[in-house]
Amino acid sequence: MSVLDPARTPAVAEPPPRSAGWPALRPLVLRLHFYAGLLIAPFLLVAAVTGLLYAGSLQAEKIVYAHELRTEPGGTALPLSRQVAAALRAHPEGTLTAVRPPDGPDATTRVVLDAPGLKDDNSLAVFVDPYTGEVRGSLESYGSSGALPLRATLDHLHRDLLLGEPGRLYSELAASWLWVVALGGVLLWLGRRRSARRLRGTTGRRRTLSWHGTVGLWSAVGLVALSATGLTWSAYAGGHIGRLQDALGGATPAVSTQVPGAAEMPGTDHGAHAGHEGHAGHEGHTGHEGRTGHEGHVGHAGGSGAGGRTGLDATLRTARQEGLSGPVEIRVPTASAPAYVVQQTDKQWPERLDSIAVDPASGQVTDRLDFADYPLLAKATRWGIDLHMGLLFGLANQVALAALMVALILLIVWGYRMWWQRRPRQAAGLRGGRAHPRGGWRRVPLAVLLPLAAATAVLGWFMPLFGIPLAGFLVLDACAGAATRRRARAA
């Protein structure tokens, strides 16, 4: 079977007359929508199914790891220093990098360790009962998002099909074409709005088209948003977006971790503070460096200890006094970043992502960065990523993502069904529908065609996994056209 059987695609004897407006563009859009829907749809289907699984991963994580994440509230919480010490006694091979205090009375404390045998962007999360100091378990956590194994696996499945960097090409291909398919479908549907009423109550392909067009129209905005936000952390287009964002002054800022006289601070063991890169994960351009601390900070975590060093508990109190409410993460000092960093981690709207740096020697705040002071482009990137991950509006965000994924799955199924229903009535066996007639570009006025071709070339360079498949479509179409002309001459 050939989906582009030249024998079933009529040859164009002479260039059709050029027209203006939508009638000129419709054949071109229709053929592009056909090619993309037929050949790119399998990648979109995989992305939709894995995205649907990921949409429910936050709730699944809370259920599967309830023992580690939750405890029975009661009594007075122990100092963070004692909780961290308990975690390090259970895992002496680990090195302290950060602590996430409980975000509620029934939550455990998450002690983040750098442990041997983990990937560069992964950490060991040790969960401690804040009231008893009991270690309730430990799990590998992924990146700065802190995703636990179940959510991390679903995340990787959606991003790269568990194939690593080569697998990211699939998701970038899907994101690069999703907006093209969605907007092309909207144009085609609105272009035939006058006849849309006649589709109601019909059967066969027209009924399928009615369902396909209606659901596609209602979900188009969401699908385009998913495409745009998904591209922000893609391998090739994501790099271009990041450089463009930086050039426009929209880079995500970071709080300064430098403090005066840090090299002369008493009690600093530079050999034990080897920092390492990591924790970027699925956070796009907003990930932070993984930081390696050491057990020497734990003994003074309750306040100002020997040598005048400020500990975790005093740092947390300072952060609360500075207005950093809600869930926070405390990153311990390193040789290259000698200040404590306390950052809010609440990514629900309105987001609380303020951060401060605290001098370990004096306990004074040395720098502060509020989310309100981020450049607009940095804010938009953060909102887009959190929206794509189902974090921005909590459960409502996750439900909306799941609905969009179901809609995309239905659109793909209906699209293939329409292609099957377009096959000739006398066709036997597995023969699909005819391709839409080629040569639509000849109808487009040069004043429109040339700028359109230039814009497509720029987009193809900016999004290589849009440009390369598009070039492949053109080559395939040209070969099919040549075969058609040869058959016509032979006849």
Side-chain angles (χ1 to χ4, degrees):
M1 181 192 72
S2 173
V3 300
L4 301 172
D5 188 353
R8 293 185 279 119
T9 305
V12 179
E14 59 183 16
R18 297 185 184 272
S19 54
W22 173 243
L25 289 174
R26 186 179 184 278
L28 189 63
V29 174
L30 186 61
R31 193 161 180 85
L32 180 62
H33 192 71
F34 168 79
Y35 271 112
L38 193 65
L39 303 177
I40 302 295
F43 300 95
L44 294 176
L45 182 61
V46 173
V49 173
T50 57
L52 181 61
L53 294 175
Y54 183 79
S57 63
L58 288 170
Q59 274 67 39
E61 184 178 73
K62 294 175 182 177
I63 295 172
V64 173
Y65 305 117
H67 177 74
E68 289 83 1
L69 294 171
R70 297 298 168 192
T71 186
E72 290 293 329
T76 303
L78 298 173
L80 286 178
S81 58
R82 292 183 58 182
Q83 299 180 50
V84 171
L88 289 171
R89 283 196 300 270
H91 294 275
E93 77 283 3
T95 307
L96 178 65
T97 62
V99 179
R100 293 191 177 190
D103 57 1
D106 62 342
T108 56
T109 298
R110 183 182 299 201
V111 180
V112 183
L113 305 178
D114 182 27
L118 300 178
K119 295 181 180 179
D120 287 342
D121 58 350
N122 288 9
S123 301
L124 182 67
V126 183
F127 300 89
V128 181
D129 188 321
Y131 305 106
T132 65
E134 173 195 1
V135 174
R136 297 181 62 85
S138 60
L139 296 166
E140 188 171 354
S141 67
Y142 165 68
S144 60
S145 64
L148 298 179
L150 174 62
R151 183 155 61 101
T153 299
L154 294 176
D155 183 10
H156 277 296
L157 184 65
H158 180 61
R159 278 195 356 169
D160 56 30
L161 299 179
L162 305 180
L163 299 176
E165 284 300 312
R168 293 181 66 186
L169 298 178
Y170 119 83
S171 59
E172 184 167 355
L173 177 66
S176 298
W177 278 91
L178 178 56
W179 67 274
V180 179
V181 175
L183 291 182
V186 169
L187 289 175
L188 291 171
W189 185 254
L190 294 180
R192 59 179 301 159
R193 62 187 182 276
R194 293 179 180 177
S195 60
R197 296 187 183 92
R198 296 198 298 269
L199 296 179
R200 297 174 184 173
T202 57
T203 59
R205 181 176 173 274
R206 283 182 171 271
R207 174 181 289 180
T208 307
L209 177 60
S210 176
W211 293 339
H212 182 87
T214 302
V215 173
L217 187 65
W218 280 100
S219 58
V221 173
L223 295 178
V224 171
L226 284 179
S227 175
T229 54
L231 286 171
T232 57
W233 60 70
S234 59
Y236 299 104
H240 290 154
I241 292 172
R243 288 187 287 272
L244 179 61
Q245 181 179 340
D246 294 346
L248 295 175
T252 300
V255 67
S256 173
T257 58
Q258 300 304 311
V259 295
E264 291 77 31
M265 287 192 304
T268 301
D269 183 354
H270 289 268
H273 288 284
H276 69 273
E277 295 288 338
H279 299 300
H282 204 169
E283 297 293 291
H285 306 293
T286 60
H288 62 263
E289 284 189 339
R291 291 172 168 80
T292 304
H294 69 86
E295 295 86 333
H297 294 303
V298 178
H300 308 302
S304 296
R309 295 187 62 80
T310 300
L312 291 168
D313 291 283
T315 301
L316 180 59
R317 286 195 297 270
T318 299
R320 298 306 189 194
Q321 292 168 2
E322 291 291 319
L324 271 65
S325 58
V328 297
E329 179 182 78
I330 307 171
R331 302 199 297 270
V332 301
T334 69
S336 59
Y340 283 104
V341 174
V342 186
Q343 182 170 21
Q344 293 175 310
T345 58
D346 185 3
K347 295 176 181 177
Q348 294 191 38
W349 186 271
E351 293 187 316
R352 291 181 292 177
L353 294 175
D354 300 344
S355 58
I356 61 170
V358 178
D359 184 351
S362 65
Q364 299 298 312
V365 176
T366 58
D367 192 25
R368 181 184 180 109
L369 176 63
D370 292 337
F371 185 69
D373 297 329
Y374 278 32
L376 180 59
L377 279 177
K379 289 181 181 179
T381 301
R382 180 75 267 164
W383 291 329
I385 290 173
D386 293 338
L387 185 71
H388 191 104
M389 297 178 68
L391 301 173
L392 191 58
F393 300 110
L395 182 60
N397 197 163
Q398 294 170 259
V399 172
L401 285 178
L404 276 175
M405 294 303 97
V406 171
L408 182 55
I409 293 171
L410 291 175
L411 289 171
I412 294 169
V413 171
W414 286 331
Y416 277 116
R417 179 173 173 78
M418 284 190 296
W419 170 64
W420 180 255
Q421 290 173 328
R422 288 187 72 249
R423 73 191 192 282
R425 292 184 178 182
Q426 70 275 14
L430 296 177
R431 296 181 64 184
R434 291 186 298 267
H436 294 280
R438 66 175 55 85
W441 62 272
R442 295 186 179 94
R443 298 179 180 271
V444 183
L446 290 178
V448 176
L449 183 62
L450 295 180
L452 183 63
T456 302
V458 171
L459 285 174
W461 170 83
F462 195 80
M463 296 182 293
L465 291 187
F466 163 73
I468 295 174
L470 179 60
F473 293 165
L474 295 176
V475 171
L476 180 65
D477 199 46
C479 292
T484 299
R485 288 189 292 273
R486 282 197 303 270
R487 289 200 175 198
R489 285 194 296 268

